[in-house]
Amino acid sequence: MVTPVLPHQNNIQQIGYKLLSMLNFKGKKGEEVARTLISACLWNDSVESKSRAYDVSPQTVRNYVEKQGMEVIEKLLESARKISLKVLKGVKEIDLSIDLTTKTWYGKPVKGSSEKGNSWNYAATKYKGKVLLLAFIPQVNGMTKDEIVKVLVEQVMAMGFKIRLITLDAGFYTVDVLNFISQFKYIVAVLVGDVKVFEEFDGDYKTNSKRHRRDEQVKFRLLVYSKEKVRRKSLVYFARATNLDLSKREVLDLYNKVRGPIETSYRNIKAFLPFTSSTKFVFRTLIFVLALVLYSLYTIFKGEVGREEFRLLLILLFPDLFNPENFTFNVIETLIYTIDLFLRR
């Protein structure tokens, strides 16, 4: 097979080197484990299936990840943050979108994970057409929604950004979350069944959570709007909670503008997410973070190549990335230089 020669081919090859440096597992089979994981992501295949292609057993891959996984996850996340910071160089204020994503896993339950499977929470912003990851935290049993939001916001602020607006989906509609984000401008999706307002509405509203006393409830501006369900020819109502002093239409448009991109980014992350039969929390977290990082790397080239072209080029270049001389290449400086080239266009 002949690898197509494109202007960005060498740059994407450096991306491959970067991935290998981040998955630098220690041990005799460390390189094979790295090959297996990256290959599974690129092909959107199972880790167990790809392991056989690299002469390593699925159990060996699991053992390496379980012992060294948390360290590798931190390296991956740090690299993703560096990419975002490079793109956002000079930016002081951002609009932030926070998302909770649950991946349902079948089979044995995973110790420490949510009942439905593994839940990952991340915060992102959109800048010049690119959706950039800024913060990430896996959800474990016992972690409340406001704790998740606090951790993500603290991570973003620690990067030096001022938050102009926060948008959240309905999964974060709780009294404690509302109390915390009230220090920012915010828009939160709300299930109409929670507020029980089934008509067009724009006015003050007070929560009625049974977990909090009357004096602990939160007041906010509630917006309810409807959309016609074409097939049934009936109206469906949606709600938003906010503290913005803008017209109803402006608030709804702003929510869609800030919130929409993070939903799209998750669909792209899933395109790089491999499958596994492992029930270990660290294993499943690592492959999600690896898929997330692959998406972050792809965003550098967005507008230059499509997602599938990016994936195909990495697949075609993949065998050459394990040449011993290339493997020791100084990848970090090369990647930063590559990002600079694309940002200057």
Side-chain angles (χ1 to χ4, degrees):
M1 184 180 292
V2 179
T3 303
V5 179
L6 299 171
H8 39 259
Q9 176 176 316
N10 290 337
N11 295 319
I12 291 181
Q13 192 169 32
Q14 305 309 321
I15 295 292
Y17 296 146
K18 177 62 176 175
L19 282 169
L20 297 178
S21 73
M22 289 187 286
L23 288 175
N24 187 18
F25 288 97
K26 301 177 181 67
K28 187 170 65 174
K29 289 287 186 178
E31 187 175 303
E32 286 78 5
V33 171
R35 292 186 191 206
T36 298
L37 292 170
I38 296 174
S39 182
C41 284
L42 294 179
W43 288 95
N44 201 216
D45 199 354
S46 77
V47 175
E48 290 74 20
S49 172
K50 287 301 178 184
S51 68
R52 298 182 182 93
Y54 295 103
D55 194 29
V56 60
S57 73
Q59 188 57 51
T60 298
V61 176
R62 288 192 283 267
N63 290 341
Y64 269 75
V65 172
E66 287 164 27
K67 290 179 180 178
Q68 304 179 44
M70 294 310 300
E71 181 182 346
V72 173
I73 288 169
E74 286 304 316
K75 287 182 180 178
L76 289 169
L77 289 173
E78 183 59 28
S79 295
R81 283 190 285 263
K82 284 181 179 179
I83 293 169
S84 298
L85 283 171
K86 195 70 180 177
V87 176
L88 290 168
K89 187 176 181 180
V91 176
K92 302 297 182 183
E93 285 189 329
I94 59 170
D95 295 329
L96 195 66
S97 186
I98 294 178
D99 195 35
L100 182 151
T101 298
T102 298
K103 173 70 175 178
T104 301
W105 300 93
Y106 300 97
K108 297 179 181 178
V110 181
K111 185 178 180 181
S113 66
S114 65
E115 293 180 0
K116 295 181 180 179
N118 281 47
S119 293
W120 300 282
N121 308 271
Y122 59 103
T125 191
K126 185 176 182 181
Y127 180 70
K128 293 186 176 180
K130 303 178 188 298
V131 181
L132 305 167
L133 170 79
L134 296 176
F136 172 87
I137 183 174
Q139 182 176 351
V140 297
N141 284 337
M143 182 176 287
T144 61
K145 298 294 177 62
D146 62 302
E147 288 173 339
I148 292 168
V149 174
K150 286 177 183 177
V151 170
L152 293 174
V153 168
E154 286 169 359
Q155 287 183 24
V156 171
M157 296 182 73
M159 297 169 75
F161 294 114
K162 180 179 179 181
I163 299 173
R164 184 168 47 217
L165 171 71
I166 295 181
T167 62
L168 306 99
D169 66 17
F172 288 104
Y173 175 66
T174 70
V175 168
D176 294 322
V177 170
L178 286 168
N179 270 322
F180 174 71
I181 63 171
S182 293
Q183 61 187 296
F184 309 99
K185 297 296 183 183
Y186 70 85
I187 312 173
V188 185
V190 182
L191 296 175
V192 176
D194 290 342
V195 293
K196 295 180 175 58
V197 178
F198 299 95
E199 62 181 359
E200 297 285 333
F201 182 82
D202 181 356
D204 292 334
Y205 182 86
K206 188 175 182 180
T207 58
N208 55 4
S209 172
K210 295 179 181 178
R211 297 184 179 182
H212 293 77
R213 300 193 308 267
R214 184 174 298 178
D215 60 340
E216 293 176 330
Q217 304 297 326
V218 181
K219 291 182 179 179
F220 56 85
R221 179 186 176 193
L222 175 67
L223 305 176
V224 180
Y225 63 103
S226 63
K227 286 185 179 180
E228 186 176 359
K229 205 167 185 178
V230 180
R231 289 185 179 180
R232 296 182 180 179
K233 294 183 179 180
S234 60
L235 292 179
V236 179
Y237 289 94
F238 303 87
R240 300 288 181 263
T242 187
N243 59 358
L244 291 175
D245 186 18
L246 299 172
S247 70
K248 184 177 180 178
R249 176 44 52 193
E250 286 178 305
V251 173
L252 300 180
D253 288 345
L254 188 56
Y255 179 85
N256 292 334
K257 179 182 177 181
V258 176
R259 180 78 198 155
I262 200 171
E263 299 289 351
T264 303
S265 73
Y266 178 60
R267 289 195 291 271
N268 283 315
I269 290 169
K270 282 179 67 177
F272 294 108
L273 183 63
F275 306 97
T276 180
S277 60
S278 172
T279 61
K280 299 297 182 181
F281 181 75
V282 64
F283 197 102
R284 294 177 176 177
T285 301
L286 185 143
I287 61 173
F288 180 82
V289 171
L290 182 55
L292 188 150
V293 170
L294 268 164
Y295 166 73
S296 295
L297 293 170
Y298 156 66
T299 61
I300 300 169
F301 298 90
K302 193 175 181 182
E304 302 286 335
V305 296
R307 187 190 69 203
E308 293 310 306
E309 184 184 3
F310 172 80
R311 183 211 300 276
L312 178 61
L313 278 171
L314 269 176
I315 288 173
L316 293 174
L317 294 167
F318 194 58
D320 298 329
L321 298 177
F322 287 93
N323 180 288
E325 294 180 3
N326 291 338
F327 195 76
T328 56
F329 194 81
N330 192 341
V331 296
I332 297 178
E333 287 77 6
T334 303
L335 179 64
I336 297 301
Y337 174 70
T338 301
I339 295 173
D340 277 337
L341 287 178
F342 276 85
L343 292 181
R344 290 172 187 168
R345 295 187 177 186

